[in-house]
Amino acid sequence: MNYELTNIYNLLLKNYGLQGWWPLTTHDGSNPTKSGSISGYHVNDYSLPKTKEQIFEVCLGAILTQNTSWPNVEKALLNLKTISPIYISNLNNEDLKQSIRPAGYFNQKADYIKNFTNFFLNLKDTPSRDKLLTIKGIGNETADSILLYAFKQPEFVVDAYTKRIFSRLGFFKATDSYKEIKDFFESNLKKDVILFQEFHALIVEHAKRFCQKSPYCTDCFLRAVCKF
DNA sequence: AACCAGGACGTGA
DNA sequence: TCACGTCATGGT
């Protein structure tokens, strides 16, 4: 309910529109996304992910996208013939590695995915953040992505883009900790899952379009309110 | 052809 | 705690 912060959100939303995260390779009743097309977004449908397989897919995507661009993650996901916890659990490590190769860091990520899959198979209901963090391969951002986009919990996701954009805007220092930044957003916004989902997705979009490492400030619609 | 992408972990100070 | 090296493929 911080006015300045809410104002930024409204400007992002006005310029980019609803983002429809988290992208899924399959929707109910539709065909799989073609490789490279990046069309798994589902604008205005907050019922997704719906099935257990879709929830699982969001989790795998969250692990695979660690320091990796989404098109590479999509290639990895499409290489997996079936994205279900049972299937992945029974898949041998070498096959898993070959499938997820396009997403990079495939040796560690294969282990991370195996760890998480075992956890997921024994899961009764929504996991706690602390429990997720005990899994090797699930850090702060991945845990929050899983909770926000797979389990629809109001956990704000902080990534490198969030730090970059909002430190440039002047809300905090780029060196502030994950927890400090997460607390800043959560204490200044209404704890609303849809708001958190769209806000994070909009941040990613703005970082790609304007607020890159070397930013395009000239045409940026946030220039008037930015201290960079 | 260097640079970077929707980070996490292990190590040493 | 915290800064730093490591992990790897693919697009620009």
Side-chain angles (χ1 to χ4, degrees):
Chain A
M1 279 90 46
N2 175 311
Y3 171 73
E4 284 79 17
L5 188 59
T6 303
N7 185 39
I8 301 294
Y9 174 76
N10 288 332
L11 286 169
L12 291 170
L13 182 59
K14 180 176 146 194
N15 278 272
Y16 300 129
L18 295 172
Q19 298 299 298
W21 276 38
W22 186 284
L24 289 162
T25 59
T26 61
H27 297 183
D28 291 345
S30 70
N31 294 321
T33 307
K34 289 192 173 60
S35 181
S37 63
I38 314 184
S39 57
Y41 301 91
H42 41 92
V43 175
N44 247 319
D45 185 354
Y46 299 102
S47 71
L48 296 171
K50 199 172 293 185
T51 68
K52 198 143 191 172
E53 284 69 29
Q54 288 175 332
I55 292 172
F56 183 67
E57 181 186 321
V58 172
C59 299
L60 288 199
I63 293 170
L64 288 170
T65 199
Q66 290 169 359
N67 203 39
T68 301
S69 63
W70 186 256
N72 288 2
V73 174
E74 195 179 51
K75 289 185 178 67
L77 289 174
L78 292 172
N79 282 341
L80 297 166
K81 281 165 270 183
T82 307
I83 303 179
S84 78
I86 302 289
Y87 176 80
I88 299 297
S89 173
N90 292 328
L91 193 59
N92 72 65
N93 232 308
E94 284 311 310
D95 289 341
L96 177 57
K97 285 182 183 177
Q98 291 316 308
S99 296
I100 67 170
R101 196 182 191 104
Y105 309 113
F106 56 86
N107 288 305
Q108 357 182 28
K109 283 179 181 175
D111 288 337
Y112 294 172
I113 286 172
K114 282 290 188 179
N115 293 341
F116 178 79
T117 303
N118 290 333
F119 172 81
F120 191 87
L121 280 170
N122 295 320
L123 201 58
K124 296 172 187 173
D125 38 28
T126 302
S128 73
R129 190 172 192 277
D130 287 339
K131 196 78 178 179
L132 284 171
L133 289 174
T134 64
I135 304 168
K136 185 176 173 184
I138 309 294
N140 281 308
E141 185 188 338
T142 307
D144 286 331
S145 294
I146 287 172
L147 288 169
L148 180 61
Y149 291 106
F151 293 98
K152 300 169 186 173
Q153 302 300 303
E155 301 283 350
F156 202 90
V157 178
V158 177
D159 64 351
Y161 293 156
T162 310
K163 290 187 184 179
R164 186 198 295 163
I165 293 176
F166 286 87
S167 61
R168 283 174 176 174
L169 284 168
F171 285 92
F172 46 73
K173 302 187 292 290
T175 52
D176 283 359
S177 71
Y178 188 97
K179 182 169 175 31
E180 286 174 309
I181 297 176
K182 177 180 168 68
D183 286 347
F184 168 77
F185 282 95
E186 293 184 354
S187 60
N188 285 296
L189 294 169
K190 186 180 164 198
K191 269 198 172 20
D192 181 82
V193 171
I194 294 177
L195 170 63
F196 285 13
Q197 287 186 343
E198 293 294 344
F199 206 159
H200 174 66
L202 286 166
I203 286 168
V204 172
E205 189 62 23
H206 189 62
K208 288 177 177 171
R209 303 255 200 123
F210 290 100
C211 209
Q212 304 179 359
K213 256 191 174 174
S214 181
Y216 299 110
C217 298
T218 308
D219 301 317
C220 180
F221 55 86
L222 295 180
R223 190 178 185 184
V225 293
C226 187
K227 297 180 180 172
F228 189 68

